[in-house]
């Protein structure tokens, strides 16, 4: 509907609405009064609002078309708009059954068992259900991740074998154990004797030695492959699927290792609720001992593999840095990212025989560790625990005019061999990790140099940089290198920081001279 003025010309839209309002008011006066509330047309901002809201989709789309035409969308009014609809809600993740053994019994059955026997059966049922879950997860890792990526050529068969290991060999192993537990279950749902079954089966878990020792390299390869958009897209789609339970691929691959750690705890729980005179008591104690031995062997194999993995990634700038002791290292005691005195990030490795400071570098998309200074043999290593504020970290100009650079959570490692003349001040992020480093370093030193064996004398107490004070706390390690015995080679920046009082005065005088010259 439009309106015309006295000359017959078309009036603007706003004027049209006013005319419509006037006509409706006139018609309203001729009608009978009504108590029904009517939306006043004076508040209408669009012709589309003149259409009453109805459930008919065609009319609603027509109203949307009219409204869009007045907004100047440039869309043809003859083409209906697609109605807006909410996005479908994501499918909830799959949940594991958490029912207890006692919940599978009726009231009459539950009354026939003592409280101690119910707790024992609950512990056995938890072991049984855990095996079911493990088998399901291993099969899922194979069918939902390994096989599709191989079929779609997202990864090569060699890469998938390196990441997944031999999953086909582990699934039957747990299926056999589950079958034996099922066979030992009575019609009333109870398991009488389980000890001998576990004793005979646990040694077969040594098959996980190779799987666990390869996990570090498998995780590194998986992280590298995630840089490929196809791999990342596939894994993201799996993560958003209900079957994943919001777990990523590595969580499924790490489940066997975490399951191995739980076996001693589960067996101890069963033993705790088993009477001393029960035939299973002795067998369960034997099973716990066997499982602890299996875990010890797996951990040793894994430690050797991890140690060799990082040794292979060491990169030497000079052949003189290749210490023969590196070949004797069979275990990596601890390692982590640290910072040196100038703020450079270092990655420090404490092997059983050597302390190695490195710089992380990337060579052809492969992470390596460039050896920084000469490795320090542990038998020559000296450790100084420093108090907060003993050392000023950072070599910036700002640090010379500020007291905010006093370091916290620091310690020093140095060599007692005069030919090396090495001393490195190490800074840590927090107290907890500093204490971890101190404990590891002290433990390694004590193996090579018992407490009663004298060590090389420390520098005089007058040297403020080498004084030693006891500290009760420690932190995350930022290892910081400082060749403090090479004083003659200190750079002018180091001298500037060490003489901060003098330079502060010089700076103030210089500033006054500049201001006076300006005015």
């Amino acid at each position: 509907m439009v309106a015309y003025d006295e000359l017959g010309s078309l009036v603007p839209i706003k004027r049209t609405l006013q005319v419509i309002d006037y006509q409706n008011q006139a018609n309203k006066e001729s009608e009978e009064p009504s108590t029904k509330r009517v939306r006043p047309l004076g508040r209408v901002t669009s012709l589309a609002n003149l259409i009453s809201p109805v459930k008919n989709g065609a009319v609603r789309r027509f109203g949307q078309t009219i409204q869009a035409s007045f907004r100047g969308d440039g869309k043809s009014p003859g083409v209906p708009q697609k109605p807006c609809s909410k996005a479908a809600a994501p499918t909830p993740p799959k949940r594991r059954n958490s029912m207890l053994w006692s919940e599978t019994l009726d009231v009459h059955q539950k009354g026939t068992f003592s409280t101690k026997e119910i707790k024992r059966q609950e512990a056995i049922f938890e072991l049984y259900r855990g095996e079911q879950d493990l088998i399901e997860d291993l099969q899922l890792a194979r069918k939902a991740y390994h096989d599709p990526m191989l079929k779609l050529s997202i990864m090569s068969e060699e890469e998938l074998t390196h990441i997944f290991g031999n999953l086909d060999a582990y699934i039957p192993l747990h299926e056999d154990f589950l079958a034996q537990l099922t066979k030992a279950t009575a019609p009333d749902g109870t398991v009488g004797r389980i000890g001998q079954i576990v004793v005979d089966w646990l040694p077969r878990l040594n098959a996980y030695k190779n799987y666990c020792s390869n996990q570090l390299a498998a995780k590194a390869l998986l992280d590298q492959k995630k840089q490929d958009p196809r791999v990342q897209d596939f894994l993201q789609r799996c993560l958003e699927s209900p079957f994943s339970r919001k777990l990523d691929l590595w969580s499924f691959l790490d489940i066997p290792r975490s399951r191995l750690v739980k076996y001693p705890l589960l067996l101890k729980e069963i033993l705790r609720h088993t009477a001393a005179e029960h035939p299973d008591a002795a067998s369960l104690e034997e099973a716990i001992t066997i499982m602890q031995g299996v875990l010890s062997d797996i951990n040793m194999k894994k430690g050797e593999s991890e140690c060799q993995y990082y040794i292979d990634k060491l990169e030497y700038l000079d052949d003189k840095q290749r210490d023969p002791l590196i070949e004797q290292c069979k275990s990596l005691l601890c390692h982590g990212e640290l910072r040196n005195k100038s703020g450079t990030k270092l990655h420090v490795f404490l092997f059983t025989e050597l302390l190695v400071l490195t710089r992380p570098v990337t060579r052809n998309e492969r992470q390596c560790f460039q050896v920084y200074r000469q490795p320090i043999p542990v038998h020559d290593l000296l450790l100084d625990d420093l108090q907060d504020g003993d050392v000023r970290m950072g070599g910036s100009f700002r640090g010379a005019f500020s007291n905010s650079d006093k370091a916290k959570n620091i310690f020093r490692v140095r060599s007692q061999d005069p030919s090396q003349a090495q001393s490195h001040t190490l800074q840590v992020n927090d107290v907890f990790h500093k204490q971890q480093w101190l404990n590891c370093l002290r433990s390694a030193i004590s193996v090579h140099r018992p407490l009663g064996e004298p060590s090389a004398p420390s520098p005089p107490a007058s040297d403020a940089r080498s004084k030693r004070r006891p500290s009760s706390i420690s932190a995350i390690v930022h290892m910081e290198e400082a060749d403090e015995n090479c004083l003659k080679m200190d750079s002018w920046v180091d001298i500037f920081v060490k003489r901060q009082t003098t330079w502060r005065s010089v700076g103030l005088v210089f500033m006054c001279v500049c201001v006076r010259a300006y005015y």
Side-chain angles (χ1 to χ4, degrees):
M1 178 182 292
V2 296
Y4 298 86
D5 58 10
E6 292 81 2
L7 299 178
S9 59
L10 185 67
V11 299
I13 296 296
K14 183 175 180 181
R15 177 60 178 165
T16 302
L17 294 177
Q18 293 176 352
V19 172
I20 294 174
D21 183 33
Y22 174 80
Q23 293 175 354
N24 285 335
Q25 290 292 340
N27 294 334
K28 184 178 178 181
E29 294 177 356
S30 61
E31 295 176 357
E32 295 182 1
S34 174
T35 59
K36 182 178 178 181
R37 292 189 62 183
V38 180
R39 185 179 183 182
L41 292 178
R43 299 180 185 177
V44 176
T45 58
S46 171
L47 288 180
N49 293 334
L50 296 175
I51 302 175
S52 302
V54 293
K55 295 183 179 180
N56 191 310
V59 176
R60 183 167 63 250
R61 288 194 297 272
F62 176 71
Q64 294 171 352
T65 304
I66 296 178
Q67 191 171 6
S69 65
F70 280 100
R71 286 200 310 264
D73 289 20
K75 297 180 181 179
S76 172
V79 180
Q81 299 278 335
K82 184 178 180 180
C84 300
S85 60
K86 291 185 177 180
T91 306
K94 182 179 179 181
R95 296 185 179 275
R96 281 278 167 78
N97 183 12
S98 58
M99 181 179 294
L100 301 175
W101 178 80
S102 58
E103 296 175 352
T104 63
L105 306 176
D106 55 34
V107 179
H108 300 291
Q109 282 183 303
K110 192 178 298 185
T112 61
F113 301 107
S114 64
T115 303
K116 190 175 185 65
E117 181 61 23
I118 290 178
K119 291 182 178 179
R120 181 175 186 271
Q121 295 300 326
E122 293 282 13
I124 296 175
F125 184 72
E126 185 177 355
L127 175 66
Y128 178 89
R129 191 180 58 199
E131 292 299 302
Q132 287 182 321
D133 294 343
L134 177 60
I135 293 171
E136 179 182 342
D137 288 336
L138 293 179
Q139 291 175 340
L140 188 146
R142 167 66 69 180
K143 294 180 180 179
Y145 289 93
H146 178 280
D147 293 348
M149 284 194 287
L150 179 62
K151 186 175 182 179
L152 297 174
S153 300
I154 296 177
M155 288 192 200
S156 66
E157 184 174 1
E158 182 181 356
E159 291 171 337
L160 291 172
T161 301
H162 191 68
I163 294 174
F164 285 80
N166 191 11
L167 288 182
D168 292 335
Y170 307 130
I171 295 175
L173 187 151
H174 295 280
E175 287 178 337
D176 182 52
F177 182 46
L178 192 64
Q180 294 184 52
L181 293 178
T182 304
K183 186 177 180 181
T185 304
D188 60 355
T190 61
V191 179
R193 300 186 61 174
I194 191 179
Q196 193 58 43
I197 296 175
V198 178
V199 168
D200 295 337
W201 179 77
L202 287 179
R204 298 176 60 183
L205 293 177
N206 282 303
Y208 277 105
K209 282 184 180 180
N210 292 333
Y211 183 85
C212 292
S213 61
N214 185 58
Q215 276 195 306
L216 184 63
K219 181 68 164 59
L221 178 58
L222 178 60
D223 291 341
Q224 178 184 346
K225 296 300 296 182
K226 284 181 179 179
Q227 306 303 319
D228 186 344
R230 293 188 64 202
V231 176
Q232 181 62 31
D233 179 68
F234 177 84
L235 296 180
Q236 184 62 32
R237 290 175 183 272
C238 290
L239 183 63
E240 296 171 356
S241 300
F243 69 81
S244 69
R245 308 194 309 275
K246 302 300 181 182
L247 300 177
D248 59 7
L249 172 57
W250 184 250
S251 298
F252 286 101
L253 296 178
D254 193 50
I255 284 176
R257 182 200 58 80
S258 60
R259 179 65 178 174
L260 292 175
V261 179
K262 289 182 181 178
Y263 282 121
L265 303 177
L266 294 170
L267 295 176
K268 288 179 181 179
E269 184 67 13
I270 298 174
L271 179 60
R272 190 163 70 91
H273 299 296
T274 301
E277 63 276 6
H278 196 284
D280 261 354
S283 299
L284 288 173
E285 292 179 353
E286 182 183 357
I288 293 172
T289 304
I290 293 174
M291 191 63 223
Q292 289 175 342
V294 171
L295 286 178
S296 179
D297 292 342
I298 291 176
N299 287 336
M300 183 180 298
K301 180 72 174 177
K302 183 180 179 182
E304 293 177 357
S305 176
E306 181 182 11
C307 179
Q308 190 60 45
Y309 173 83
Y310 284 112
I311 289 177
D312 293 340
K313 285 187 172 291
L314 294 180
E315 184 180 88
Y316 302 93
L317 296 177
D318 190 348
D319 289 338
K320 295 180 180 179
Q321 293 179 332
R322 296 179 180 272
D323 196 302
L325 291 175
I326 196 68
E327 302 299 332
Q328 302 178 19
C329 297
K330 298 299 181 183
S331 180
L332 178 61
L333 302 180
C334 62
H335 68 100
E337 186 181 275
L338 319 170
R339 291 184 183 272
N340 63 6
K341 195 169 187 179
S342 61
T344 303
K345 291 182 179 180
L346 301 177
H347 201 100
V348 181
F349 298 93
L350 177 60
F351 297 99
T352 51
E353 306 294 334
L354 287 171
L355 178 70
V356 184
L357 282 69
T358 68
R359 285 172 172 167
V361 295
T362 302
R363 306 293 188 211
N364 298 325
E365 299 182 355
R366 177 177 176 268
Q367 186 182 23
C368 301
F369 300 94
Q370 189 180 85
V371 176
Y372 182 71
R373 303 302 170 91
Q374 187 69 22
I376 303 177
V378 175
H379 61 74
D380 291 333
L381 190 62
L382 297 176
L383 174 64
D384 297 329
D385 188 3
L386 305 178
Q387 284 187 340
D388 295 348
D390 278 0
V391 177
R392 186 180 296 277
M393 311 302 287
S396 63
F397 286 91
R398 180 175 56 87
F401 299 95
S402 172
N403 294 325
S404 61
D405 291 326
K406 289 183 178 180
K408 297 181 179 180
N409 307 321
I410 53 176
F411 61 92
R412 180 181 293 122
V413 290
R414 50 195 174 90
S415 175
Q416 65 178 353
D417 185 359
S419 63
Q420 288 198 5
Q422 288 198 72
S423 179
H424 306 279
T425 301
L426 318 174
Q427 184 182 12
V428 188
N429 280 343
D430 57 53
V431 174
F432 173 72
H433 290 86
K434 178 187 173 184
Q435 193 61 52
Q436 282 189 324
W437 272 94
L438 292 177
N439 292 340
C440 288
L441 287 165
R442 287 166 180 160
S443 177
I445 292 173
S446 65
V447 172
H448 293 270
R449 190 170 60 250
L451 296 177
E453 181 180 336
S455 59
S458 300
S462 59
D463 188 354
R465 294 183 305 169
S466 61
K467 64 182 178 180
R468 185 176 183 180
R469 297 181 184 176
S471 177
S472 59
I473 43 183
S474 49
I476 255 186
V477 182
H478 288 291
M479 246 177 150
E480 166 166 44
E481 163 270 338
D483 262 6
E484 296 166 304
N485 295 322
C486 302
L487 299 179
K488 295 181 180 180
M489 300 301 295
D490 280 340
S491 64
W492 64 274
V493 176
D494 295 327
I495 296 174
F496 180 80
V497 174
K498 295 168 189 173
R499 303 293 185 267
Q500 55 180 301
T501 304
T502 303
W503 281 99
R504 187 183 295 111
S505 303
V506 173
L508 293 174
V509 172
F510 178 75
M511 187 184 304
C512 293
V513 172
C514 292
V515 172
R516 185 172 181 180
Y518 178 79
Y519 290 101

